[in-house]
Amino acid sequence: MQSPWKILMVAPLFLLLSLQSSASPAYDDSSRPRDSNGHTCVGCVLVVSVIEQLAQVHNSTVQASMERLCSYLPEKLFLKTTCYLVIDKFGSDIIKLLSADMNADVVCHTLEFCKQNTGQPLCHLYPLPKETWKFTLKKARQIVKKSPILKYSRSGSDICSLPVLAKICQKIKLAIEQSVPFKDVDSDKYSVFPTLRGYHWRGRDCNDSDESVYPGRRPDNWDVHQDSNCNGIWGIDPKDGIPYEKKFCEGSQPRGIILLGDSAGAHFHISPEWITASQMSLNSFINLPTALTDELDWPQLSGVTGFLDSTVGIKKKSIYLRLWKRNHCNHRDYQNISRNGASSRNLKKFIESLSRNKTLDYPAIILYAMIGNDVCNGKSDPVPAMTTPEKLYSNVMQTLKHLNSHLPDGSHVILYGLPDGTFLWDNLHNRYHPLGQLNKDVTYAHLYSFLNCLQVSPCHGWMSSNKTLRTLTSERAEQLSNTLKKIATSEKFTNFDLFYMDFAFHEIIQEWQKRGGQPWQLIEPVDGFHPNERKSVFLKGMLMTSQTLDNQEWTQLTSWIKGNLTCDSRTREWLCCCLRIVSGRRCSSSGPKSWERRIHSTPRLNRCLETKAGTEPLRSMHPWGAQGGRGLGKLMPQTLGLLRHRPKGVSFSSIFAKCLSLNEEHIWMTVQLCLLLGSVTLPLFLK
């Protein structure tokens, strides 16, 4: 007969794989301990805590609270069935222990989901019992000493050791490790299935039986017969015989967006509703199956490649949606090559999943955003496991050489710096974690200590009460950022331009506080580490209107402007006028009286730009952005609702107007930003 423990572990296959993939080691996988007792312990304490708090919230028995929890879970992935199996196998013991006023730590140690190895400290989330731990544990074991479940070992319970699941396990693990779709009939690295590395992670395939059809490629014969690049534009206009792809997209310079990132880029997220008893309902777990099959990541909502509207009520859009809004020919051209636990060290293991052909595909914008795991790990002594500047230089150069051999000419790569994570402890340590809000007994300091003790913390260096360790971690992060900056300013590549941008964390906080928010609201509440959706979208919004380029990059961009634009005194005067416009001031103190009013609408803004703040006559009869508006090209047929952008000979004012209208809610009020916005946007999106 199969062990009940192994039977129990069959159903939540995706949960186990997600937990394994959500670990965030900064060191090579070969050095990771195989014992997953730490994650098992965390899972047990979490579940028992929820059961206990559900009984408290609803004034019910422990048995009723367990059944209530199972009733909330969906049928998909056998989650509900598995829950009832847990009750059947462990419920009686949990009831006995909780009824004896044992907390979740004691319950999980008694049932041997948590273990204190010889010579190791005792790991606990909740305050220790008033009686000694040894006495309390002995008392708890006496309560369940006759339990048959205790004779089944928790070790060797890897679900993938079951023959019936070995093959499916291997295929799913391979998809996760290599970051390629689980379901991909034509092996072109694009899928019609949303999760398991499908179109939540990269553009949806529109023909999964033809490997030559995928998002981001240049059209095959202007897509006369089929939609070869999956942007929804194909066929011939019967009125003039011109292919729609040629009519709408020629000269628009489509650009794909590709993210090479870690769990932050993948948008790792555990919903607070899943562990907060007072908020739990039938609707709480609707998205759990999707989350599990996406490794507890939500790339469809990320700040770079997200294609769904924000779930937190903010109007910021991802970089992909901004590119799509500006040019619908970019439809579906996104790739989120991010992975939980990714760093410069292990990127080489899955960068091959990036799909770009030098000759067949459009150029792309690549964001290299390994922002944490080169300094973050869960080891008891995390500093020796951090990436050194020398090793980072070697790793990044290897990545850039790979990109140079695969990216089409005209692409752009942006290296993203590391943040200063001391923010985490400073703003969260004395706040209550969702598990501790009901009884005011668990703070983030308790959570951090618990995870560090088990050596499963996503970042021991920053999630620590040790100020010296936090400072050392930030110093190493700064060293690595300086290394990335050095690479961006000194290395040249044939197929792409290279930029560097700081992680502008303090600017994000300031922007959020201006909106009435608190800094701690920018962090995921459950893990207390990852940036949440608000911060992610704010961060990528700032990338589009960034002021963080260093002096050398600024010089390079200024040189680019001078080589492509007439930067005379009149242009500079006009740029200063832009500052007045976006600041809501008068368009021009010397312009016609009809212009002496505040600029509130985009048409007025665009019209003001066209006339250079009223110093030149209006060149068209239509406001900017209307049909026939100069510089934005002809409107596509209203059935498609697409704009053909940047026809040849476009004027500087039209480019700048489009940049402003694209990012108007994100513009920061400085003359330097006026210049930077035009200069950064031009080479990245309009070159």
Side-chain angles (χ1 to χ4, degrees), residues 614-628:
T615 60
E616 291 187 2
L618 190 65
R619 295 170 181 163
S620 65
M621 296 302 294
H622 299 282
W624 281 72
Q627 295 188 32

Side-chain angles (χ1 to χ4, degrees), residues 651-665:
S651 66
F652 176 46
S653 57
S654 67
I655 293 174
F656 205 94
K658 188 58 189 174
C659 293
L660 286 177
S661 63
L662 177 66
N663 300 296
E664 56 186 331
E665 73 271 25

Side-chain angles (χ1 to χ4, degrees), residues 445-476:
H446 293 135
L447 174 69
Y448 293 168
S449 176
F450 181 51
L451 298 179
N452 291 336
C453 180
L454 292 171
Q455 298 190 41
V456 295
S457 171
C459 194
H460 187 177
W462 278 323
M463 300 166 68
S464 170
S465 60
N466 187 330
K467 184 176 181 180
T468 301
L469 179 57
R470 300 198 304 269
T471 301
L472 287 173
T473 306
S474 291
E475 289 176 351
R476 178 59 61 87

Side-chain angles (χ1 to χ4, degrees), residues 231-247:
N231 66 1
I233 304 173
W234 66 283
I236 299 176
D237 188 341
K239 295 180 180 180
D240 51 23
I242 300 176
Y244 286 117
E245 180 83 31
K246 182 179 179 67
K247 177 179 291 188

Side-chain angles (χ1 to χ4, degrees), residues 59 73 104 125 148 151 162 181 187 193 200 210 303 532 574 596 613 616 619 634-635 645 656 678 680:
N59 193 25
L73 295 176
L125 178 63
K151 68 181 181 180
L162 297 175
S187 299
F193 192 73
H200 281 176
D210 187 345
N532 63 16
W574 174 55
E596 293 183 2
E616 291 187 2
R619 295 170 181 163
K634 299 177 180 179
L635 272 179
H645 296 289
F656 205 94
V680 169

Side-chain angles (χ1 to χ4, degrees), residues 79-99:
L79 291 173
K80 188 185 293 288
T81 302
T82 302
C83 185
Y84 283 117
L85 183 57
V86 170
I87 292 178
D88 182 58
K89 297 302 178 183
F90 298 98
S92 61
D93 291 336
I94 294 175
I95 291 172
K96 292 175 183 177
L97 292 169
L98 291 180
S99 298

Side-chain angles (χ1 to χ4, degrees), residues 190-229:
Y190 294 90
S191 176
V192 296
F193 192 73
T195 60
L196 290 174
R197 292 285 165 171
Y199 66 76
H200 281 176
W201 298 84
R202 57 184 80 205
R204 182 171 182 169
D205 201 341
C206 54
N207 187 344
D208 205 22
S209 61
D210 187 345
E211 64 178 1
S212 67
V213 176
Y214 55 86
R217 67 158 293 166
R218 298 180 187 274
D220 179 17
N221 191 28
W222 292 113
D223 284 357
V224 171
H225 301 293
Q226 67 170 344
D227 186 9
S228 66
N229 55 20

Side-chain angles (χ1 to χ4, degrees), residues 252-258 303-306 317-335 356 363-367 412 543-544 642-643 645 658 662-663 680-681 684-686:
S252 69
Q253 297 294 309
R255 289 284 188 274
I257 182 71
I258 302 173
V304 177
T305 62
K317 300 292 185 182
S318 70
I319 294 179
Y320 163 70
L321 285 178
R322 292 169 186 233
L323 292 174
W324 175 85
K325 179 180 179 182
R326 184 191 166 276
N327 185 351
H328 283 44
C329 298
N330 293 319
H331 187 48
R332 295 186 181 178
D333 194 1
Y334 61 90
Q335 298 180 54
R356 218 62 180 182
I365 303 165
I366 294 85
L367 300 183
H412 307 276
L543 177 61
M544 301 288 284
L642 309 179
L643 284 176
H645 296 289
K658 188 58 189 174
L662 177 66
N663 300 296
V680 169
T681 307
L684 291 188
F685 311 128
L686 298 171

